[in-house]
Amino acid sequence: LVARQGRGFIELALAILSCRACLVPIADDHTGAVLEGFAERAQLHAIAIERESAPGFELVVRPQARAVDGNADRDFAALDPAYLRFTSGTTSRRKGVILGHAAILARLAAANAGLGIGPTDRILWLLPMAHHFVVSILLYLRYGASILLPAGSLARPILELAASERATVLYASPYHMNLLAKDASELPLDDVRLAISTAEGLRPEIARAFVSRFGRPVAQALGIIEVGLPVLNAASAGSKPGSLGRPLPDYEVWLRGEDGLPVSPPTSPDKTGEICIRGPGCFDAYLDPWTPARLVLEPDGFRTGDQGFFDADGDLFLVGRRANRINMAGMKFFSEEVEAVLDAHPQLRRSRVRAREHAHLGEIPVAELEPVD
């Protein structure tokens, strides 16, 4: 699915799922050779493209798609696949994560044990749908909530929509929290019961600015495409804005030492372990290369590759990521991806890209360039 942000995206996504096809959302800036390269790697049978120039969508059939599992797609079909998304996670090569219908349903139920979404909720939605859909859009619809879609990305119209439609849940990135906190109007968020920050780490100064502006704490959520939403800072958002919070009831989150054994909590920034997670709704397989989930999840659960610690209250803190990844306003990509674009220039011999901290965007890519001449 290649569609613009908005109601049309949701309608087309639900149509694909209702046909028992496997939904693969693609950002609408993927065009030409980039889109074809994505389709080839995912071995898509068809692409549904929403066009700005015409109503509805165009269906582009790709009859050359190959089997992905080495077994004529029988293993793939046995998963009852519903959703495929490529990670922005812990290695420079994005992994295609496959979720079956059963895994999605289990994941939504486990996440809502912490979120408590119901028919009276009205969710103010600010994130890109191509990157955030399962434990968000699908969850809201499944539990009867309404989704509010702002027409623009400026703080004033977002807050006006939240006030007029009485938004109860704000689901956004730290970039958006920072944007709203800097708004100079007196528009409140009086009806918001839960402000959730995801997609990247929440800096304490942004959380404090949001509380100062709206009188509402910001709860960080740890969302992982392979696992779901296992950790939420609902209990300590006000006192510990830098924490990821506590595991939701259906999840086991533990720290793995370098020796493979659990690191006993409470721990500290000087005594960390790799964050590992077990629970319902874990992914069913990786696409490329084809890898059934059991080969990844046994015996430790899902190993995130991130280092963290638990304090005495049981709140989880993230210390560092072992990834060459850049996170700009919630958009995650790798240094190698930027380098590949730069290196394609005929007058450039090579490049090296790294992340630089940015006060408003979180991080930005910075490049060192070596010209041919």
Side-chain angles (χ1 to χ4, degrees), residues 42-78:
Q43 289 304 311
L44 300 182
H45 295 96
I47 308 174
I49 304 177
E50 184 185 31
R51 302 290 190 188
E52 291 190 42
S53 56
F57 67 96
E58 176 186 354
L59 190 66
V60 179
V61 178
R62 304 181 71 256
Q64 71 274 24
R66 302 186 306 273
V68 296
D69 58 8
N71 191 25
D73 274 343
R74 286 187 287 268
D75 294 339
F76 175 74

Short mmCIF file of all heavy atoms in Angstrom, two decimals, residues 42-78:
data_model
loop_
_atom_site.label_atom_id
_atom_site.label_comp_id
_atom_site.label_asym_id
_atom_site.label_seq_id
_atom_site.Cartn_x
_atom_site.Cartn_y
_atom_site.Cartn_z
N ALA A 42 10.62 -7.25 -1.06
CA ALA A 42 9.47 -7.81 -0.35
C ALA A 42 8.73 -8.86 -1.17
O ALA A 42 7.85 -9.52 -0.65
CB ALA A 42 8.51 -6.70 0.04
N GLN A 43 9.10 -9.01 -2.44
CA GLN A 43 8.42 -9.94 -3.34
C GLN A 43 6.90 -9.71 -3.33
O GLN A 43 6.09 -10.63 -3.16
CB GLN A 43 8.77 -11.38 -2.99
CG GLN A 43 10.19 -11.77 -3.34
CD GLN A 43 10.51 -11.53 -4.82
OE1 GLN A 43 9.76 -11.95 -5.70
NE2 GLN A 43 11.61 -10.85 -5.09
N LEU A 44 6.52 -8.45 -3.55
CA LEU A 44 5.11 -8.09 -3.55
C LEU A 44 4.42 -8.65 -4.79
O LEU A 44 4.97 -8.63 -5.89
CB LEU A 44 4.95 -6.57 -3.52
CG LEU A 44 5.56 -5.83 -2.32
CD1 LEU A 44 5.26 -4.35 -2.42
CD2 LEU A 44 5.05 -6.40 -1.02
N HIS A 45 3.19 -9.13 -4.60
CA HIS A 45 2.38 -9.57 -5.74
C HIS A 45 1.67 -8.39 -6.40
O HIS A 45 1.34 -8.44 -7.59
CB HIS A 45 1.35 -10.60 -5.29
CG HIS A 45 1.95 -11.89 -4.81
ND1 HIS A 45 2.17 -12.14 -3.48
CD2 HIS A 45 2.39 -12.97 -5.49
CE1 HIS A 45 2.71 -13.35 -3.36
NE2 HIS A 45 2.88 -13.86 -4.55
N ALA A 46 1.39 -7.35 -5.62
CA ALA A 46 0.68 -6.19 -6.16
C ALA A 46 0.94 -4.98 -5.28
O ALA A 46 1.27 -5.11 -4.10
CB ALA A 46 -0.82 -6.48 -6.24
N ILE A 47 0.79 -3.81 -5.89
CA ILE A 47 0.94 -2.55 -5.16
C ILE A 47 -0.33 -1.73 -5.39
O ILE A 47 -0.70 -1.44 -6.53
CB ILE A 47 2.16 -1.74 -5.63
CG1 ILE A 47 3.43 -2.61 -5.60
CG2 ILE A 47 2.35 -0.51 -4.76
CD1 ILE A 47 4.64 -1.91 -6.18
N ALA A 48 -0.99 -1.36 -4.30
CA ALA A 48 -2.14 -0.45 -4.36
C ALA A 48 -1.63 0.96 -4.14
O ALA A 48 -1.06 1.26 -3.09
CB ALA A 48 -3.17 -0.82 -3.30
N ILE A 49 -1.80 1.82 -5.13
CA ILE A 49 -1.26 3.18 -5.09
C ILE A 49 -2.40 4.19 -5.12
O ILE A 49 -3.21 4.19 -6.06
CB ILE A 49 -0.30 3.43 -6.26
CG1 ILE A 49 0.82 2.39 -6.28
CG2 ILE A 49 0.29 4.84 -6.16
CD1 ILE A 49 1.77 2.52 -7.46
N GLU A 50 -2.46 5.03 -4.11
CA GLU A 50 -3.43 6.12 -4.10
C GLU A 50 -2.85 7.29 -4.88
O GLU A 50 -1.75 7.76 -4.58
CB GLU A 50 -3.73 6.54 -2.65
CG GLU A 50 -4.80 7.60 -2.55
CD GLU A 50 -4.99 8.08 -1.11
OE1 GLU A 50 -4.01 8.07 -0.34
OE2 GLU A 50 -6.11 8.49 -0.78
N ARG A 51 -3.56 7.75 -5.89
CA ARG A 51 -3.08 8.85 -6.74
C ARG A 51 -3.76 10.17 -6.34
O ARG A 51 -4.95 10.20 -6.09
CB ARG A 51 -3.40 8.57 -8.20
CG ARG A 51 -2.82 7.26 -8.74
CD ARG A 51 -1.32 7.32 -8.87
NE ARG A 51 -0.81 6.15 -9.62
CZ ARG A 51 0.48 5.88 -9.73
NH1 ARG A 51 1.38 6.67 -9.17
NH2 ARG A 51 0.88 4.80 -10.41
N GLU A 52 -2.96 11.25 -6.30
CA GLU A 52 -3.54 12.55 -6.00
C GLU A 52 -4.42 13.04 -7.14
O GLU A 52 -5.37 13.78 -6.93
CB GLU A 52 -2.42 13.57 -5.75
CG GLU A 52 -1.65 13.34 -4.47
CD GLU A 52 -0.72 14.50 -4.16
OE1 GLU A 52 -1.17 15.65 -4.35
OE2 GLU A 52 0.41 14.25 -3.74
N SER A 53 -4.14 12.61 -8.36
CA SER A 53 -4.83 13.14 -9.53
C SER A 53 -6.16 12.47 -9.81
O SER A 53 -6.92 12.94 -10.67
CB SER A 53 -3.93 12.99 -10.77
OG SER A 53 -3.57 11.63 -10.94
N ALA A 54 -6.47 11.38 -9.12
CA ALA A 54 -7.70 10.65 -9.42
C ALA A 54 -8.24 10.02 -8.14
O ALA A 54 -7.49 9.68 -7.23
CB ALA A 54 -7.44 9.57 -10.47
N PRO A 55 -9.56 9.83 -8.06
CA PRO A 55 -10.13 9.18 -6.88
C PRO A 55 -9.79 7.69 -6.87
O PRO A 55 -9.45 7.10 -7.89
CB PRO A 55 -11.64 9.40 -7.06
CG PRO A 55 -11.83 9.57 -8.53
CD PRO A 55 -10.60 10.25 -9.03
N GLY A 56 -9.92 7.07 -5.70
CA GLY A 56 -9.65 5.64 -5.59
C GLY A 56 -8.17 5.34 -5.63
O GLY A 56 -7.35 6.15 -5.20
N PHE A 57 -7.82 4.19 -6.18
CA PHE A 57 -6.43 3.79 -6.22
C PHE A 57 -6.16 2.96 -7.46
O PHE A 57 -7.07 2.43 -8.10
CB PHE A 57 -6.05 2.99 -4.96
CG PHE A 57 -6.74 1.66 -4.86
CD1 PHE A 57 -6.11 0.50 -5.29
CD2 PHE A 57 -8.01 1.55 -4.33
CE1 PHE A 57 -6.74 -0.73 -5.20
CE2 PHE A 57 -8.65 0.32 -4.24
CZ PHE A 57 -8.01 -0.81 -4.68
N GLU A 58 -4.88 2.85 -7.79
CA GLU A 58 -4.44 2.04 -8.92
C GLU A 58 -3.80 0.77 -8.38
O GLU A 58 -3.00 0.81 -7.44
CB GLU A 58 -3.43 2.82 -9.75
CG GLU A 58 -2.82 2.02 -10.90
CD GLU A 58 -1.73 2.78 -11.62
OE1 GLU A 58 -1.51 3.97 -11.29
OE2 GLU A 58 -1.08 2.18 -12.50
N LEU A 59 -4.14 -0.38 -8.95
CA LEU A 59 -3.56 -1.65 -8.53
C LEU A 59 -2.55 -2.09 -9.58
O LEU A 59 -2.90 -2.38 -10.72
CB LEU A 59 -4.64 -2.72 -8.37
CG LEU A 59 -4.18 -4.03 -7.72
CD1 LEU A 59 -3.79 -3.79 -6.27
CD2 LEU A 59 -5.26 -5.09 -7.80
N VAL A 60 -1.27 -2.12 -9.18
CA VAL A 60 -0.19 -2.53 -10.07
C VAL A 60 0.17 -3.98 -9.72
O VAL A 60 0.68 -4.25 -8.64
CB VAL A 60 1.04 -1.62 -9.91
CG1 VAL A 60 2.16 -2.09 -10.83
CG2 VAL A 60 0.66 -0.17 -10.20
N VAL A 61 -0.10 -4.92 -10.61
CA VAL A 61 0.17 -6.33 -10.38
C VAL A 61 1.59 -6.66 -10.80
O VAL A 61 2.06 -6.21 -11.85
CB VAL A 61 -0.83 -7.21 -11.15
CG1 VAL A 61 -0.52 -8.69 -10.95
CG2 VAL A 61 -2.26 -6.90 -10.70
N ARG A 62 2.28 -7.44 -9.98
CA ARG A 62 3.66 -7.82 -10.25
C ARG A 62 3.72 -9.35 -10.38
O ARG A 62 3.96 -10.05 -9.38
CB ARG A 62 4.59 -7.33 -9.15
CG ARG A 62 4.53 -5.83 -8.90
CD ARG A 62 5.49 -5.38 -7.81
NE ARG A 62 6.88 -5.46 -8.26
CZ ARG A 62 7.74 -6.38 -7.91
NH1 ARG A 62 7.37 -7.37 -7.11
NH2 ARG A 62 8.99 -6.37 -8.34
N PRO A 63 3.50 -9.90 -11.55
CA PRO A 63 3.41 -11.36 -11.70
C PRO A 63 4.74 -12.08 -11.50
O PRO A 63 4.77 -13.30 -11.37
CB PRO A 63 2.91 -11.53 -13.13
CG PRO A 63 3.36 -10.28 -13.84
CD PRO A 63 3.26 -9.19 -12.82
N GLN A 64 5.87 -11.34 -11.44
CA GLN A 64 7.17 -12.00 -11.33
C GLN A 64 7.56 -12.28 -9.88
O GLN A 64 8.69 -12.72 -9.63
CB GLN A 64 8.26 -11.12 -11.98
CG GLN A 64 8.62 -9.86 -11.20
CD GLN A 64 7.70 -8.69 -11.53
OE1 GLN A 64 6.57 -8.87 -11.96
NE2 GLN A 64 8.21 -7.48 -11.35
N ALA A 65 6.68 -12.05 -8.92
CA ALA A 65 7.01 -12.28 -7.51
C ALA A 65 7.38 -13.74 -7.28
O ALA A 65 6.73 -14.65 -7.79
CB ALA A 65 5.84 -11.89 -6.63
N ARG A 66 8.42 -13.95 -6.47
CA ARG A 66 8.90 -15.29 -6.16
C ARG A 66 8.45 -15.71 -4.75
O ARG A 66 8.08 -14.86 -3.94
CB ARG A 66 10.43 -15.34 -6.23
CG ARG A 66 11.02 -14.93 -7.57
CD ARG A 66 12.53 -15.15 -7.57
NE ARG A 66 13.18 -14.49 -6.46
CZ ARG A 66 13.61 -13.22 -6.48
NH1 ARG A 66 13.42 -12.49 -7.57
NH2 ARG A 66 14.21 -12.70 -5.43
N ALA A 67 8.52 -17.00 -4.48
CA ALA A 67 8.25 -17.49 -3.14
C ALA A 67 9.32 -16.97 -2.19
O ALA A 67 10.48 -16.79 -2.57
CB ALA A 67 8.22 -19.01 -3.13
N VAL A 68 8.93 -16.73 -0.93
CA VAL A 68 9.86 -16.12 0.02
C VAL A 68 10.43 -17.12 1.02
O VAL A 68 11.40 -16.81 1.72
CB VAL A 68 9.17 -14.98 0.79
CG1 VAL A 68 8.77 -13.87 -0.16
CG2 VAL A 68 7.97 -15.49 1.58
N ASP A 69 9.84 -18.34 1.13
CA ASP A 69 10.19 -19.23 2.23
C ASP A 69 10.96 -20.48 1.82
O ASP A 69 11.25 -21.33 2.65
CB ASP A 69 8.93 -19.64 2.98
CG ASP A 69 7.91 -20.34 2.07
OD1 ASP A 69 8.25 -20.63 0.91
OD2 ASP A 69 6.78 -20.60 2.54
N GLY A 70 11.27 -20.63 0.52
CA GLY A 70 11.94 -21.84 0.07
C GLY A 70 11.04 -23.05 0.03
O GLY A 70 11.52 -24.17 -0.17
N ASN A 71 9.74 -22.84 0.22
CA ASN A 71 8.78 -23.94 0.23
C ASN A 71 7.51 -23.56 -0.53
O ASN A 71 6.40 -23.86 -0.08
CB ASN A 71 8.45 -24.35 1.67
CG ASN A 71 7.68 -25.66 1.75
OD1 ASN A 71 7.76 -26.50 0.86
ND2 ASN A 71 6.91 -25.82 2.82
N ALA A 72 7.71 -22.88 -1.67
CA ALA A 72 6.60 -22.48 -2.54
C ALA A 72 5.56 -21.65 -1.80
O ALA A 72 4.36 -21.71 -2.11
CB ALA A 72 5.95 -23.71 -3.18
N ASP A 73 5.99 -20.87 -0.83
CA ASP A 73 5.13 -19.99 -0.02
C ASP A 73 4.18 -20.75 0.90
O ASP A 73 3.29 -20.14 1.51
CB ASP A 73 4.33 -19.02 -0.91
CG ASP A 73 5.12 -17.76 -1.23
OD1 ASP A 73 6.11 -17.48 -0.52
OD2 ASP A 73 4.74 -17.04 -2.17
N ARG A 74 4.34 -22.05 1.06
CA ARG A 74 3.45 -22.79 1.95
C ARG A 74 3.69 -22.42 3.41
O ARG A 74 2.74 -22.29 4.20
CB ARG A 74 3.62 -24.29 1.73
CG ARG A 74 2.99 -24.80 0.43
CD ARG A 74 3.03 -26.32 0.35
NE ARG A 74 4.38 -26.80 0.09
CZ ARG A 74 4.86 -27.01 -1.14
NH1 ARG A 74 4.10 -26.79 -2.21
NH2 ARG A 74 6.09 -27.46 -1.32
N ASP A 75 4.96 -22.26 3.79
CA ASP A 75 5.26 -21.87 5.17
C ASP A 75 4.76 -20.45 5.44
O ASP A 75 4.24 -20.15 6.53
CB ASP A 75 6.76 -21.96 5.44
CG ASP A 75 7.27 -23.39 5.37
OD1 ASP A 75 6.46 -24.31 5.52
OD2 ASP A 75 8.49 -23.56 5.15
N PHE A 76 4.93 -19.59 4.47
CA PHE A 76 4.44 -18.21 4.58
C PHE A 76 2.92 -18.21 4.76
O PHE A 76 2.39 -17.55 5.67
CB PHE A 76 4.85 -17.43 3.34
CG PHE A 76 4.30 -16.03 3.27
CD1 PHE A 76 4.82 -15.03 4.08
CD2 PHE A 76 3.29 -15.70 2.39
CE1 PHE A 76 4.33 -13.73 4.01
CE2 PHE A 76 2.79 -14.42 2.30
CZ PHE A 76 3.32 -13.43 3.13
N ALA A 77 2.20 -18.93 3.93
CA ALA A 77 0.74 -18.96 3.99
C ALA A 77 0.25 -19.56 5.30
O ALA A 77 -0.81 -19.16 5.82
CB ALA A 77 0.17 -19.74 2.81
N ALA A 78 1.00 -20.52 5.86
CA ALA A 78 0.59 -21.17 7.10
C ALA A 78 0.56 -20.21 8.28
O ALA A 78 -0.12 -20.48 9.28
CB ALA A 78 1.52 -22.35 7.41
#
